[in-house]
Amino acid sequence: MKYQDRPLVQALQNFHDRKPVSFHVPGHKGGVLSNLPVTVRQALAYDLTELTGLDDLHEPSAAIKEAEDKLACLYGSERSFFLVNGSTVGNLAMLYATVRPGDLVMVQRNAHKSIFNALELTGANPVFLSPDWDELTQTAGTVSLKTVKEALTQYPNVKAAVFTTPTYYGILNKDLEQIIEVCHSFSIPVLVDEAHGAHFIVHDAFPTSALELGADLVVQSAHKTLPAMTMASFLHIHSQFVKVERVAHYLQMLQSSSPSYLLMASLDDARYYAETYDEKDYESFQLYRRNLIQDLCNLAGVEVVETDDQLKLLIRATGHTGFVLQKALEMRGIYPELADLYQVLLVLPLVKVRDEKRCVDVVDKFKVAMDCLAEKKTTSVRLHNYLSKSSPSSVVYTASQLHTMDMGWVNMQSATGRVAADAIIPYPPGIPLLCAGERISHEHMEQIQDLLMAGCRFQGAINRETKQIKVVVE
Ligand SMILES: Cc1ncc(COP(=O)(O)O)c(C=O)c1O
């Protein structure tokens, strides 16, 4: 079988076609020794390793190099890398490649936890930039040019800036191009976590990608919005400040020495999908999307919110939290990406011209869920926009100071005023409500209580059974 213009997929297929006898790792021997369901076993025939003809992710010179070159060409980067541990490893590698221990780094306060982990691991110190509050989605949005300029006046020694755009909810940083210009004028490299924007490249109707706007390093979860496998992501670099070799150096340290060929082939395929996405595909996506929005808007009690990214839709059920709506939908077999106090978030399929017919019609199920909610008691929710209130700030204790301090658990009622020993993270979306070393305010505690009551899941320094928070002993 021929896989046009997908060098790594083709190399895997060529290897498979030779019906090779495996005396090499992995131990499932092409799936033969596996007891997984038969369809999964079949896929394991392609779960190969660095065999002759299959190249090496960490020293690419053949099929992987060709595939990564095609990726770089599509996104307009100096070099693009395949990632097999998600944007998580991309965020770690881009910070390791850019900063030194003790450096000050401007970071959007509503960044993903992997950014804060990267700062801790590199020993850099964060200057938190407050995002503007986004009225449309009722979530923390992006950082304005004004906030960046204010931070630069207050912290002129900043060595790097990290932004997240679009947000999980599809809100775009409309100031990004100017922010990049200003940062570059101070010789500050701009790193962008574009985990939710790998698809921007496919059509002009989607926002312009951060790379095109001049960002130095950009990380994208191809698995989130393009048809790549979970954990498969891209990292692009195009920079006068950060060296390609440093990124490659840290990636070979941080990524497995046995990267999954299934993941890498899915990246090659996702790149091809994006590259071949044409006008007809976009029209068909639009048709699918508009019909869905129309049908959902016709249901009583449903509010549909469109954001900057057409792949994201927010659905609200009047008088109910997003968590309640999520439960009602899941009972009918519909699984949204996430819920919060106000809404659920849907990530739409980036359909091509023939695919829209393969997307299941969900409106009847939505209707049943809404009918069921109509019989339930309604609740009102409080607005929490503490993330957007403060001016540029930092933690009370840095990660290295925290390592030497004692920690203890306290009841939630007495946590206000203490310092969080570790991050407290509603999951998803994985954005720390509190970072390690931040002072806990009354508003933080109100939001934690509201989220717990509504059924939100948490990671980090919180025990929902004992209702306790882990704090620093000062
Ligand atoms: C903004 C953002 N950055 C990074 C990540 C981590 O991405 P990955 O799951 O590809 O490791 C996520 C995951 O949800 C995210 O939302």
Side-chain angles (χ1 to χ4, degrees):
M1 172 128 185
K2 283 267 168 271
Y3 287 94
Q4 191 203 350
D5 209 19
R6 276 159 288 178
L8 186 54
V9 181
Q10 189 64 62
L12 266 191
Q13 186 61 51
N14 293 347
F15 193 90
H16 179 266
D17 288 349
R18 293 168 61 203
K19 303 199 177 6
V21 179
S22 169
F23 282 108
H24 56 76
V25 298
H28 59 63
K29 307 293 174 194
V32 174
L33 303 190
S34 163
N35 290 312
L36 286 165
V38 69
T39 40
V40 183
R41 274 204 328 256
Q42 280 163 358
L44 292 184
Y46 295 85
D47 181 34
L48 293 162
T49 187
E50 288 84 1
L51 298 158
T52 305
L54 292 183
D55 209 359
D56 175 354
L57 177 67
H58 300 299
E59 282 296 335
S61 63
I64 295 178
K65 177 169 188 328
E66 246 185 90
E68 286 187 335
D69 284 350
K70 282 180 181 294
L71 180 65
C73 188
L74 176 66
Y75 284 85
S77 72
E78 185 180 343
R79 169 104 191 251
S80 292
F81 296 89
F82 283 174
L83 306 178
V84 292
N85 189 20
S87 290
T88 296
V89 83
N91 284 339
L92 293 178
M94 71 177 179
L95 271 147
Y96 267 116
T98 309
V99 303
R100 303 282 166 279
D103 280 356
L104 272 185
V105 176
M106 287 196 292
V107 58
Q108 188 167 329
R109 177 55 189 80
N110 56 334
H112 184 256
K113 62 178 186 163
S114 53
I115 298 279
F116 298 108
N117 290 338
L119 289 170
E120 178 175 344
L121 287 168
T122 56
N125 295 322
V127 171
F128 293 142
L129 304 185
S130 300
D132 289 344
W133 182 251
D134 183 65
E135 287 297 336
L136 184 72
T137 58
Q138 297 291 337
T139 60
T142 58
V143 172
S144 69
L145 178 64
K146 180 169 166 282
T147 301
V148 172
K149 284 185 170 168
E150 206 180 311
L152 285 171
T153 315
Q154 217 173 319
Y155 301 92
N157 290 330
V158 158
K159 293 288 188 286
V162 191
F163 300 99
T164 303
T165 177
T167 67
Y168 215 128
Y169 291 79
I171 298 304
L172 201 70
N173 190 327
K174 315 243 176 9
D175 288 351
L176 189 65
E177 192 165 14
Q178 288 166 284
I179 289 175
I180 292 171
E181 261 174 43
V182 170
C183 287
H184 282 178
S185 72
F186 283 79
S187 298
I188 296 171
V190 174
L191 321 185
V192 176
D193 179 348
E194 202 175 51
H196 296 272
H199 61 293
F200 285 180
I201 196 87
V202 306
H203 194 275
D204 289 347
F206 288 102
T208 310
S209 99
L211 207 63
E212 256 182 89
L213 297 177
D216 294 80
L217 285 141
V218 177
V219 166
Q220 299 169 332
S221 293
H223 69 93
K224 291 192 196 300
T225 54
L226 290 175
M229 287 173 68
T230 296
M231 293 173 86
S233 294
F234 300 140
L235 170 56
H236 311 284
I237 175 168
H238 199 106
S239 177
Q240 52 173 318
F241 303 108
V242 185
K243 288 200 162 51
V244 170
E245 299 78 58
R246 287 194 68 78
V247 178
H249 172 73
Y250 284 106
L251 280 176
Q252 61 79 28
M253 287 173 93
L254 294 165
Q255 299 214 90
S256 170
S257 60
S258 312
S260 158
Y261 273 78
L262 284 175
L263 294 190
M264 293 191 285
S266 84
L267 283 171
D268 193 22
D269 191 49
R271 187 269 312 152
Y272 178 75
Y273 192 90
E275 195 173 289
T276 52
Y277 203 87
D278 64 18
E279 200 54 46
K280 284 208 166 60
D281 293 326
Y282 179 70
E283 276 167 22
S284 121
F285 167 71
Q286 264 309 313
L287 190 67
Y288 161 81
R289 180 173 176 276
R290 290 254 65 93
N291 286 343
L292 179 66
I293 293 174
Q294 187 80 59
D295 290 346
L296 292 178
C297 285
N298 286 340
L299 298 178
V302 168
E303 185 190 351
V304 180
V305 180
E306 300 179 44
T307 74
D308 297 330
D309 178 4
Q310 297 178 29
L311 222 50
K312 302 281 172 85
L313 274 189
L314 299 177
I315 313 294
R316 294 174 184 160
T318 317
H320 297 283
T321 67
F323 298 104
V324 170
L325 174 59
Q326 180 182 37
K327 216 176 202 170
L329 290 171
E330 287 183 356
M331 280 172 69
R332 273 98 206 157
I334 297 175
Y335 287 81
E337 170 66 12
L338 62 78
D340 65 23
L341 286 169
Y342 317 102
Q343 57 219 343
V344 297
L345 170 67
L346 306 187
V347 182
L348 302 186
L350 184 66
V351 292
K352 282 197 172 186
V353 80
R354 287 174 312 278
D355 297 334
E356 81 273 27
K357 295 185 192 72
R358 282 156 52 186
C359 294
V360 188
D361 186 10
V362 291
V363 178
D364 287 348
K365 291 184 176 170
F366 258 93
K367 183 170 179 343
V368 180
M370 290 310 294
D371 289 347
C372 163
L373 288 186
E375 290 162 17
K376 285 199 164 175
K377 206 167 134 259
T378 59
T379 49
S380 62
V381 288
R382 273 191 287 189
L383 212 66
H384 295 282
N385 64 354
Y386 68 94
L387 277 180
S388 306
K389 278 188 175 160
S390 49
S391 48
S393 62
S394 195
V395 284
V396 182
Y397 301 113
T398 62
S400 58
Q401 287 172 320
L402 286 176
H403 282 309
T404 62
M405 297 179 85
D406 289 331
M407 321 269 174
W409 291 90
V410 295
N411 291 333
M412 288 191 189
Q413 295 90 312
S414 38
T416 300
R418 307 294 299 266
V419 171
D422 208 341
I424 296 181
I425 311 169
Y427 199 88
I431 296 164
L433 197 152
L434 272 156
C435 285
E438 263 190 312
R439 180 89 54 204
I440 303 170
S441 69
H442 178 63
E443 277 177 310
H444 287 129
M445 289 315 302
E446 269 189 350
Q447 176 153 26
I448 289 173
Q449 304 276 14
D450 283 1
L451 285 167
L452 279 174
M453 287 255 293
C456 175
R457 283 187 290 137
F458 277 91
Q459 294 178 344
I462 182 166
N463 184 328
R464 63 179 310 148
E465 265 80 56
T466 60
K467 302 243 175 327
Q468 287 182 311
I469 302 270
K470 197 175 181 188
V471 297
V472 170
V473 178
E474 288 179 278

